[in-house]
Amino acid sequence: MFLNDDFLLSNETARTLFHQHAKPMPIVDYHCHLDPREIYEDQPFANLTAAWLYGDHYKWRLMRANGVPESHITGDASDYDKFLAWARTLPKAVGNPLYSWTHLELRRFFGVNEPLNESTAPAVWEQVNARLAEPGFTRRGLIRSSNVKVICTTDDPADTLEYHRLLKEEETAFSVYPTFRPDKALNIDAEGFAGWITRLEEAAGQTVNSYPSLLAALKNRVDFFHDHGCRLSDHALDVLRYQAGDADIVEQIFAKRLAGGELSAEEVTVYRTELLTALIGFYHDKGWTMQLHLHAYRNNNTPMFRRLGPDTGYDGLNDLPLTESLSKLLDRAECGSGLPKTILYSLNPGDYPALLALMGCYQKDTPGKIQLGSGWWYNDTRAGMRQQLTLLADNSLLGNFVGMLTDSRSFLSYTRHEYFRRVLCGLIGEIAERGEAPDDEALLGRLVEDISYNNAAGYFGFESSK
């Protein structure tokens, strides 16, 4: 039966593990793209499209693949017509995780059990919009009803974190912490770099007119983020190249760029290498976890990028070499102040074996100190999750994995944790059924509980979990 209580759970061991051990566990969503202002202001959604389709480039890509005009995706069509375009697309998405996620969200949040399609769309629209108008169906209400205990947003070093502070003062059911993401500091060749430096100066309250002063300002912001509960950094390293340079060279590169000069590819690489190395030292000193998101290939459709901007569904995955540069970066950190706790994600699953082999070279002191990140983006599927979990189990310790995250801009996406937990329990159940592990509920149940919640709750060192 479609999405019954035991979907994705193919044997009795898997069913017991999910229902008795995975399902009750709270959620630590340690990487997402929710807007902290939206969480704080806690407004109800205008309708299902506002809750579901605004900003969701996963759905947008499928709608484009179905020939839906852009007016009904990101354009000026009515919200109902955009919803109807998604309802018409969905029946063709059988086998895609969005088919399961869409219906899980309808069931778990709104009590809608029938499949969404063009004929059921009007009734679904009315039923869900009526529920969204009820008390409790605000942003925070959806978070609370999902048993979420921790949310980590993604934040620029120049952000004020005012909404994190306000949430800490008044929200009692869950905690919202910032994540330090200094991509704009590293992307020295970006068009808006000089303007961002001005924002950093304002946030840090100090002048940034040299490379040492840049480091001082970023250290200032690391301290500020830490005081607001931040315990993770994040980097989008679509291309990772390593080339060291001494302080004088980096200062010359920085001064050249501030003066409006164009940098060579080699100068950009040297600057990024040295700044990232310095940041890694800051993270180690604070006891933070560093996340590296590797090998996206962004903004492939130039006309649509010019029209809509980034993060609108036109990104691919990269297949460049990775091991040599990443090894040099990690090794230099280890030779210096030391490597912080680190999570390595790659959008290219072909990188997993190399990442796992490299991880094993730097494990020490902390259980699971170096992690293979959860199946990310295009790998956030049943097959992608199983591949990541299988390779992790083959090459490291599955029991130390910090588990799932949403990586989402949607307040309805917490059902992805349920989906992941079902995949996890299905995989472990298969291992036990094959005789590769004892059919010991205490052993396997603890493993599932740890991966679902306990490992993440302990690994990141948050101030508290509510």
Side-chain angles (χ1 to χ4, degrees):
M1 182 182 294
F2 177 52
L3 291 190
N4 66 8
D5 286 346
D6 296 331
F7 89 98
L8 296 178
L9 306 172
S10 59
N11 58 59
E12 191 58 37
T13 301
R15 290 187 281 272
T16 298
L17 290 175
F18 177 75
H19 292 295
Q20 301 301 319
H21 299 278
K23 185 177 178 180
M25 300 303 290
I27 289 172
V28 173
D29 200 35
Y30 58 87
H31 177 69
C32 76
H33 296 276
L34 294 180
D35 182 344
R37 179 175 179 173
E38 279 194 61
I39 301 173
Y40 175 72
E41 293 181 345
D42 197 29
Q43 295 297 311
F45 291 96
N47 54 51
L48 179 53
T49 297
W52 226 13
L53 291 170
Y54 286 8
D56 191 342
H57 54 78
Y58 287 63
K59 293 186 178 75
W60 295 352
R61 284 173 68 94
L62 293 192
M63 293 165 77
R64 290 173 185 138
N66 200 37
V68 175
E70 197 64 31
S71 61
H72 287 58
I73 302 172
T74 62
D76 57 4
S78 70
D79 280 355
Y80 179 74
D81 286 340
K82 290 177 179 177
F83 164 74
L84 191 59
W86 174 240
R88 289 170 175 155
T89 298
L90 195 58
K92 298 182 180 180
V94 170
N96 189 293
L98 282 171
Y99 192 83
S100 296
W101 295 350
T102 292
H103 290 101
L104 273 177
E105 290 164 7
L106 288 173
R107 289 188 181 213
R108 300 295 184 256
F109 291 108
F110 306 112
V112 175
N113 294 320
E114 66 265 32
L116 176 62
N117 53 50
E118 185 174 4
S119 64
T120 63
V124 170
W125 177 259
E126 294 299 327
Q127 181 176 341
V128 172
N129 286 344
R131 294 298 304 275
L132 284 172
E134 295 175 5
F137 278 85
T138 60
R139 269 74 166 171
R140 288 199 234 176
L142 294 171
I143 294 169
R144 294 184 194 113
S145 69
S146 300
N147 198 19
V148 178
K149 296 302 180 185
V150 174
I151 294 171
C152 295
T153 58
T154 303
D155 308 277
D156 186 88
D159 288 348
T160 66
L161 307 186
E162 60 180 308
Y163 295 104
H164 297 85
R165 177 181 58 80
L166 292 169
L167 282 162
K168 183 177 181 179
E169 291 174 356
E170 68 176 56
E171 178 56 53
T172 59
F174 58 88
S175 300
V176 181
Y177 299 119
T179 297
F180 188 81
R181 182 150 167 168
D183 292 349
K184 291 181 179 178
L186 286 157
N187 293 337
I188 191 172
D189 52 336
E191 184 176 342
F193 181 75
W196 182 81
I197 290 294
T198 300
R199 283 192 61 215
L200 178 65
E201 289 179 318
E202 294 170 352
Q206 57 194 83
T207 300
V208 177
N209 56 13
S210 65
Y211 181 67
S213 65
L214 171 67
L215 292 181
L218 289 170
K219 179 60 168 62
N220 172 303
R221 300 310 290 168
V222 166
D223 292 341
F224 179 78
F225 270 59
H226 190 84
D227 290 343
H228 283 72
C230 176
R231 297 297 181 266
L232 295 95
S233 67
D234 185 34
H235 295 269
L237 300 179
D238 302 339
V239 176
L240 179 60
R241 297 188 176 96
Y242 181 95
Q243 185 171 347
D246 64 31
D248 290 341
I249 291 174
V250 181
E251 173 59 32
Q252 292 169 16
I253 294 168
F254 187 71
K256 179 179 177 180
R257 185 67 182 92
L258 285 189
E262 293 290 326
L263 301 181
S264 68
E266 180 179 343
E267 288 173 320
V268 171
T269 298
V270 169
Y271 169 85
R272 286 168 62 90
T273 298
E274 292 305 313
L275 180 55
L276 183 54
T277 299
L279 289 168
I280 291 172
F282 296 163
Y283 307 152
H284 175 271
D285 292 345
K286 289 294 186 184
W288 286 8
T289 297
M290 174 176 68
Q291 299 175 98
L292 302 182
H293 281 86
L294 304 159
H295 272 178
Y297 195 80
R298 301 180 190 272
N299 306 322
N300 291 279
N301 185 324
T302 299
M304 293 307 294
F305 175 71
R306 290 172 178 165
R307 178 176 170 182
L308 299 177
D311 303 320
T312 52
Y314 295 97
D315 300 329
L317 63 86
N318 213 325
D319 58 358
L320 290 174
L322 179 63
T323 302
E324 183 177 359
S325 291
L326 181 59
S327 175
K328 289 180 178 179
L329 180 70
L330 301 182
D331 195 60
R332 181 170 171 190
E334 190 70 358
C335 290
S337 60
L339 193 62
K341 291 177 288 187
T342 300
I343 306 178
L344 302 174
Y345 309 84
S346 180
L347 197 53
N348 187 342
D351 293 333
Y352 287 170
L355 292 177
L356 283 158
L358 195 58
M359 282 165 45
C361 302
Y362 294 99
Q363 301 283 20
K364 69 175 186 180
D365 299 333
T366 301
K369 178 179 180 179
I370 315 298
Q371 297 263 335
L372 179 67
S374 180
W376 166 42
W377 203 341
Y378 300 126
N379 305 301
D380 196 2
T381 66
R382 177 179 179 274
M385 292 173 183
R386 286 174 64 92
Q387 180 184 18
Q388 187 267 352
L389 290 166
T390 300
L391 287 172
L392 176 58
D394 284 347
N395 293 276
S396 190
L397 294 175
L398 180 61
N400 286 336
F401 182 38
V402 293
M404 182 59 177
L405 51 98
T406 62
D407 189 33
S408 177
R409 294 167 173 80
S410 170
F411 287 84
L412 299 175
S413 64
Y414 297 111
T415 53
R416 297 183 194 179
H417 283 267
E418 176 186 340
Y419 188 90
F420 167 80
R421 292 175 186 186
R422 288 178 178 273
V423 172
L424 171 68
C425 292
L427 183 66
I428 294 176
E430 291 172 16
I431 291 171
E433 294 285 324
R434 291 196 303 265
E436 295 181 63
D439 188 13
D440 180 342
E441 184 180 345
L443 169 69
L444 300 181
R446 178 58 186 270
L447 193 74
V448 165
E449 291 173 8
D450 286 348
I451 296 170
S452 297
Y453 174 75
N454 294 330
N455 288 344
Y459 179 84
F460 296 110
F462 298 120
E463 292 176 331
S464 65
S465 56
K466 296 179 179 179

